[in-house]
Amino acid sequence: MNPEPLWLTFKLATITSVILLVLALPLAYWLAFGKFKGRGIIESLIGMPLVLPPSVIGFYLLLAFSPSYWFGAWIESLFGLRLVFSFSGLVIASVLYSLPFMVYPIRAGLQSLPASLREASYTLGKNEWETFFKVLLPNCKPAILTAFVITFAHTVGEFGVVLMIGGNIPGVTKVASVAIYNEVEALNYGAANDYAMVLFAITFVILLLVYSVNNRLLRVRQPS
């Protein structure tokens, strides 16, 4: 078994999860407490990856990233970066595809906090962003941890989007899910099982640790 696809998979999942955590924190706060028109449209766009087949999203991203279309041509001319069949393209596609898996758990965690927390913070003179970072987020750790791990695991399991955008380039875009598909196509079931078992074992251990930590945090927050 070649470990390179596994390394690429966890590298992609880590980068995607970190980027999405930075993007999702203010976005989740805005969706949880913001007052604006068109909320349904914004939430529908964010949630599209939950219901659309990955091949559909991958197809439209492939068109958008292609140098034959204005966005891909603009990126290539401005940054000298070709997104199709590249690791950078995989990262951008994964960020878009996994966005709801990071945003929605954090938003739910923020909305579950008592309104008195925000009111008390404002009464003590803290502004909106100080309240967000110093009051709300520390009380929302289980939701943030859950969102991060779900996003990580979801990115590890991506297939349709990464295959459409990245193809099957060894050392560049050939992640573990694509490697499993290739081995099955070649009837190398032993190699496919090796990749699958490694992914299964690592994701199971990660989820077990997260749920254990979350349960501990929830017990700490509960009054004795």
Side-chain angles (χ1 to χ4, degrees):
M1 181 184 68
N2 183 2
E4 194 170 51
L6 293 169
W7 158 247
L8 275 176
T9 297
F10 293 115
K11 178 182 176 182
L12 175 63
T14 301
I15 294 174
T16 299
S17 300
V18 171
I19 292 173
L20 276 175
L21 181 63
V22 174
L23 296 176
L25 287 175
L27 182 56
Y29 179 81
W30 183 54
L31 290 175
F33 303 116
K35 297 179 180 179
F36 56 93
K37 294 182 179 180
R39 176 187 294 271
I41 296 175
I42 300 298
E43 292 183 339
S44 297
L45 289 174
I46 293 173
M48 289 293 281
L50 296 173
V51 294
L52 272 180
S55 56
V56 173
I57 298 175
F59 171 69
Y60 285 115
L61 289 177
L62 179 63
L63 293 181
F65 292 171
S66 171
S68 302
Y69 288 80
W70 71 268
F71 180 76
W74 177 71
I75 291 293
E76 187 168 356
S77 64
L78 190 63
F79 301 105
L81 185 65
R82 178 165 292 195
L83 297 179
V84 176
F85 306 125
S86 69
F87 186 78
S88 300
L90 286 188
V91 171
I92 295 175
S94 296
V95 166
L96 294 174
Y97 185 51
S98 296
L99 181 62
F101 294 89
M102 183 70 79
V103 171
Y104 288 156
I106 297 177
R107 183 188 66 172
L110 290 171
Q111 290 176 329
S112 68
L113 297 176
S116 58
L117 277 178
R118 296 173 67 210
E119 295 169 358
S121 179
Y122 294 149
T123 301
L124 293 173
K126 295 186 182 296
N127 60 36
E128 187 173 7
W129 288 109
E130 286 178 324
T131 299
F132 176 53
F133 284 107
K134 296 182 179 180
V135 178
L136 300 183
L137 288 188
N139 286 280
C140 204
K141 290 178 182 177
I144 295 172
L145 182 60
T146 298
F148 189 90
V149 172
I150 289 176
T151 301
F152 184 92
H154 181 255
T155 306
V156 167
E158 286 178 6
F159 176 71
V161 170
V162 297
L163 186 62
M164 294 287 283
I165 298 298
N168 185 18
I169 305 174
V172 181
T173 62
K174 185 179 178 181
V175 294
S177 58
V178 177
I180 292 171
Y181 175 78
N182 289 342
E183 298 297 349
V184 172
E185 284 283 291
L187 302 180
N188 295 327
Y189 296 127
N193 180 66
D194 290 340
Y195 284 119
M197 286 301 297
V198 170
L199 292 180
F200 179 89
I202 291 177
T203 52
F204 176 79
V205 170
I206 291 174
L207 288 174
L208 181 62
L209 290 174
V210 167
Y211 286 128
S212 299
V213 171
N214 268 353
N215 289 334
R216 185 174 301 176
L217 289 173
L218 289 174
R219 284 197 297 269
V220 169
R221 287 175 57 183
Q222 290 175 351
S224 55

